[in-house]
Amino acid sequence: MRCKNCGNTLQEFRELTEAEQEFVRPRIGKDKRLGAYYRCARAGCRRYQRRGDHNDGGSFPPPE
């Protein structure tokens, strides 16, 4: 999928972990399925987005 954080290039995405799902759940609309969101697998990228819509998503906060 295209990743906005990686210069709009095609990247591999993976399913969200349970901890990532807890972060994303309150940030998406109630009409959207949590299982439709994936995370960019490129090292250092924190982008999550909905499959099929690279404009619907956001970024995880930097690690502490």
Side-chain angles (χ1 to χ4, degrees):
M1 294 189 284
R2 293 202 181 280
C3 178
K4 291 179 99 172
N5 290 13
C6 296
N8 236 8
T9 59
L10 292 176
Q11 298 293 329
E12 293 290 325
F13 277 71
R14 63 167 176 76
E15 293 182 359
L16 300 176
T17 65
E18 286 186 34
E20 291 168 343
Q21 287 178 358
E22 292 303 316
F23 178 84
V24 173
R25 188 181 323 271
R27 290 164 174 78
I28 62 173
K30 294 190 184 292
D31 62 327
K32 297 180 180 148
R33 287 184 24 244
L34 184 59
Y37 286 82
Y38 292 82
R39 181 176 179 160
C40 181
R42 186 181 67 81
C45 186
R46 297 185 313 268
R47 175 92 179 150
Y48 66 88
Q49 64 191 40
R50 189 164 51 117
R51 183 178 188 106
D53 185 358
H54 68 279
N55 292 312
D56 182 2
S59 294
F60 291 103
E64 294 180 356

